Amino acid sequence: DVDVSAQGSILSGLESAPTQKDQTEALLFLKSLNVNNKLEKLSNWSPDTPVTQWSYLSVGSDGLIESILLNDMDLVGSLQDLSQLFTPSLRVLQLNGNGGLSGDLSLLQNLEELWLFNHPSVGGDVSILADLPHLRHVGLYQTALYGDIGEAFEGKYFPSLEMFVAPETKVTGDLNRAFSSKTTPALTKLNLLKVSNLVCDLDEFAGHFRNLAALGLSNSFDITGSIQSFRKTPLIEDLRLWSTSVVGDVEVFRELHHLMGLNLHHTHVSGDASFFEHCCKQLHELHLWATDTTGDSEKMRAARGSTVYVDW
């Protein structure tokens, strides 16, 4: 059964509740670490300006920081130095493209959105996320995230989780334990590409998510099942399952009219793929090399352009 009551935060807390003054000082400290970059040049980040007027932030009715949107600011420093910002009031944290940041994700509490792309020195056990039941969007591409996601997420309830993106991390485990219509009913996008120690039965997985729009899994031959299972996901737009053990006839994609990207290279999918010359009008990228499919490569490229990758 799904355990909802047990999902109160057990993350590292603060000794006392921070004030707006504490948060302002933490942000000014972050600015002081980033001389001659984009953050240092923000003139309204000043003790003389109310924090409600600072760029890239929003403040809640309690006076505390509610969102931080500091993507691609060339930041350096440690998340620990910013612990005064990570209160239950913080809902959205976007720090993509700041490779100079480091630290442990266990400081985070009631987040709804977490974006930390390209942070090889920021990480923690994926079980940390299991104690963030309000999550809607998770983006942890190229971070030091690790741990068994099946064990961490099994039985946890994430009613609003729509997107989980953590490619090129060290996450392991059984995705059928981690995600289901019962525990993650809102899930539409899952991307764990280039994560090699995952297990998933796609026949079971696809049956849970009729509204699935994007799925990316690769580099694991414990990803099994038939692409015929995606008849159950009529809204799928992007499907990437390369270097897995998936099988089945590609004829199934004739019925999936929303498809825009398909990458099944180095799998044992099969069948005559010639129909792609005329169907799936929105498809802009097709990878079927190193598969058991057949077709006429010249006709396919003439019909679809340079984004066709086949070896027929």
Side-chain angles (χ1 to χ4, degrees):
D1 292 337
V2 177
D3 182 1
V4 180
S5 63
Q7 288 199 67
S9 176
I10 59 171
L11 305 181
S12 302
L14 303 171
E15 292 183 3
S16 58
T19 64
Q20 187 179 90
K21 180 175 182 293
D22 295 328
Q23 294 198 323
T24 302
E25 289 176 353
L27 290 164
L28 289 173
F29 177 72
L30 178 63
K31 182 178 180 180
S32 73
L33 293 175
N34 290 273
V35 179
N36 297 322
N37 73 6
K38 298 173 185 176
L39 186 59
E40 194 269 339
K41 296 173 184 176
L42 295 178
S43 59
N44 63 349
W45 277 41
S46 163
D48 302 321
T49 305
V51 71
T52 52
Q53 298 178 23
W54 289 21
S55 305
Y56 308 112
L57 305 173
S58 69
V59 177
S61 58
D62 59 0
L64 298 179
I65 302 297
E66 196 170 60
S67 69
I68 300 173
L69 310 176
L70 293 173
N71 296 323
D72 300 311
M73 299 295 283
D74 304 322
L75 300 180
V76 299
S78 169
L79 294 181
Q80 278 73 10
D81 295 330
L82 305 176
S83 60
Q84 297 285 2
L85 305 176
F86 303 144
T87 72
S89 297
L90 186 65
R91 291 288 184 261
V92 179
L93 178 63
Q94 294 188 12
L95 296 173
N96 294 333
N98 294 293
L101 286 177
S102 62
D104 194 312
L105 292 172
S106 64
L107 290 165
L108 307 176
Q109 297 190 31
N110 285 353
L111 284 183
E112 296 175 3
E113 294 190 28
L114 174 59
W115 296 99
L116 288 166
F117 281 21
N118 191 25
H119 285 74
S121 298
V122 172
D125 194 297
V126 70
S127 61
I128 295 164
L129 303 179
D131 294 293
L132 300 175
H134 305 295
L135 283 174
R136 291 188 298 115
H137 297 157
V138 175
L140 293 172
Y141 171 54
Q142 286 186 338
T143 62
L145 187 70
Y146 63 89
D148 188 324
I149 192 170
E151 182 177 309
F153 278 27
E154 187 172 30
K156 299 287 187 176
Y157 184 48
F158 299 92
S160 304
L161 184 63
E162 299 173 2
M163 180 186 303
F164 192 95
V165 177
E168 297 186 46
T169 59
K170 300 296 184 183
V171 172
T172 64
D174 187 337
L175 299 181
N176 297 110
R177 293 175 62 191
F179 302 100
S180 74
S181 56
K182 188 175 182 180
T183 58
T184 54
L187 188 71
T188 60
K189 296 182 181 180
L190 176 64
N191 183 340
L192 288 164
L193 289 168
K194 298 185 181 181
V195 180
S196 58
N197 291 305
L198 295 173
V199 175
C200 185
D201 177 349
L202 292 171
D203 296 331
E204 177 184 345
F205 183 89
H208 283 276
F209 300 108
R210 180 174 175 79
N211 294 324
L212 190 69
L215 178 63
L217 304 171
S218 72
N219 296 73
S220 174
F221 292 104
D222 290 320
I223 306 295
T224 61
S226 171
I227 54 176
Q228 266 56 48
S229 61
F230 292 99
R231 283 197 174 95
K232 304 170 186 174
T233 61
L235 303 180
I236 194 80
E237 298 174 1
D238 194 272
L239 184 62
R240 300 175 188 274
L241 298 170
W242 41 273
S243 295
T244 66
S245 295
V246 296
V247 297
D249 193 320
V250 293
E251 177 74 17
V252 65
F253 298 113
R254 189 190 291 271
E255 306 168 20
L256 299 176
H257 305 296
H258 298 277
L259 198 64
M260 293 188 285
L262 180 64
N263 189 333
L264 298 171
H265 79 260
H266 199 195
T267 66
H268 287 292
V269 298
S270 57
D272 185 350
S274 300
F275 68 90
F276 279 118
E277 296 170 18
H278 308 292
C279 86
C280 305
K281 298 299 183 182
Q282 298 185 72
L283 187 67
H284 58 75
E285 186 179 352
L286 176 64
H287 295 253
L288 291 175
W289 55 276
T291 65
D292 296 328
T293 56
T294 60
D296 186 318
S297 59
E298 290 186 8
K299 287 184 178 179
M300 185 71 74
R301 291 193 177 96
R304 304 219 69 105
S306 60
T307 56
V308 171
Y309 302 91
V310 296
D311 54 3
W312 305 320

